[in-house]
Amino acid sequence: MMEHFAFNVHNWDMILRLLVATVLGGAVGIERGSGDRPAGFRTHILVCVGSALIMLVSMYGFDDTYVSDISNANNRDSARIAAQVVSGIGFLGAGTIMHEGVTVRGLTTAASLWMVSAIGLAAGAGMYVLSFVSTAIMLITLVSFRKWEKRFGVAASNGRRYIRIVANNEPGIITNITSYLAENDIKVKTLNVKNNAQKNEVVLELYLKIGKNTDKDGVARGLQSISGIITIENIG
């Protein structure tokens, strides 16, 4: 039985795969955590390492003895347990989306968790090149393509825009804001409200459809003049 605790070449190879999953999951987690997303650094590491561990267990966990050559394991169905990661990760992804309310802003984070789980499976299977290339593609997509997405998204959105308003938590403040927008031919498609009890403030995230002839700068100045509004930030 003590032979199973011996650190032979195969043991070190499995540890290396877990460490690779830790590094790759952490790299993605740093990017996600920098934007105060619901799933950040630690979550992505845990998902990636957990997926790698499940793959290792699926590949080697049911052998009577440890094998040093993967070619000896041709008779095992390594996908049986690992396949459950694909469906199981959906619970975490759904949690990040629901956390963001009606604005569905957690969708990219949910996709990153799904992708990180796939990278973990690849790392656990010893597919190092594929794991690193997939992580690089993922980071380029999350970091570099964000500006392109905003630029083309706004151009093709036909006057649709996200704005974020921070205001004092006063009676009627939300009604005043929505009424002003309606008076200026701006439709509120979605509205997400978050309370900051410590500062006695409310944060409003609005998805708006703005009319073609609407003076956007004038509307922004008009919103700023409403009593109780502290800051207005253009998200989209």
Side-chain angles (χ1 to χ4, degrees):
M1 182 176 180
M2 293 301 296
E3 294 178 357
H4 291 174
F5 295 93
F7 281 85
N8 51 35
V9 175
H10 185 62
N11 291 129
W12 286 114
D13 179 59
M14 290 192 292
I15 292 174
L16 176 61
R17 298 181 190 188
L18 292 178
L19 293 177
V20 168
T22 302
V23 172
L24 299 181
V28 177
I30 289 175
E31 191 283 331
R32 290 285 85 191
S34 63
D36 194 26
R37 299 299 191 274
F41 181 65
R42 294 179 298 172
T43 303
H44 281 79
I45 288 179
L46 291 174
V47 169
C48 198
V49 175
S51 299
L53 179 60
I54 291 172
M55 175 59 82
L56 288 170
V57 171
S58 184
M59 293 176 68
Y60 306 117
F62 302 98
D63 291 336
D64 294 331
T65 58
Y66 284 89
V67 293
S68 58
D69 186 356
I70 194 172
S71 63
N72 295 332
N74 291 330
N75 294 328
R76 288 191 304 271
D77 184 6
S78 302
R80 287 177 58 190
I81 297 179
Q84 305 307 312
V85 174
V86 179
S87 57
I89 199 66
F91 289 99
L92 281 177
T96 62
I97 296 173
M98 289 187 292
H99 179 80
E100 292 293 325
V102 296
T103 58
V104 203
R105 285 179 57 203
L107 190 58
T108 302
T109 301
S112 72
L113 286 172
W114 178 76
M115 183 69 175
V116 160
S117 69
I119 292 172
L121 290 175
M127 306 170 72
Y128 299 122
V129 174
L130 187 63
S131 301
F132 278 98
V133 171
S134 299
T135 303
I137 293 174
M138 186 175 180
L139 289 174
I140 291 173
T141 302
L142 292 174
V143 177
S144 300
F145 289 179
R146 181 181 302 172
K147 295 181 181 179
W148 289 89
E149 184 181 27
K150 287 185 177 182
R151 179 179 301 178
F152 290 107
V154 172
S157 60
N158 191 25
R160 297 173 185 265
R161 181 171 299 181
Y162 282 104
I163 64 171
R164 182 175 183 270
I165 299 176
V166 179
N168 293 322
N169 192 359
E170 301 175 352
I173 185 65
I174 297 178
T175 302
N176 293 339
I177 293 173
T178 54
S179 297
Y180 176 82
L181 293 173
E183 292 171 359
N184 286 271
D185 193 27
I186 299 176
K187 296 181 179 180
V188 179
K189 306 298 292 184
T190 61
L191 171 62
N192 189 29
V193 181
K194 299 179 182 179
N195 289 314
N196 188 337
Q198 294 181 346
K199 296 183 179 181
N200 195 30
E201 296 175 352
V202 291
V203 179
L204 283 70
E205 295 175 349
L206 302 98
Y207 182 44
L208 308 176
K209 183 177 181 180
I210 304 176
K212 295 181 180 180
N213 300 323
T214 302
D215 182 5
K216 300 179 181 62
D217 294 333
V219 170
R221 291 191 296 268
L223 284 172
Q224 192 67 62
S225 66
I226 296 177
S227 176
I229 290 184
I230 301 173
T231 60
I232 300 175
E233 178 182 346
N234 186 347
I235 300 177

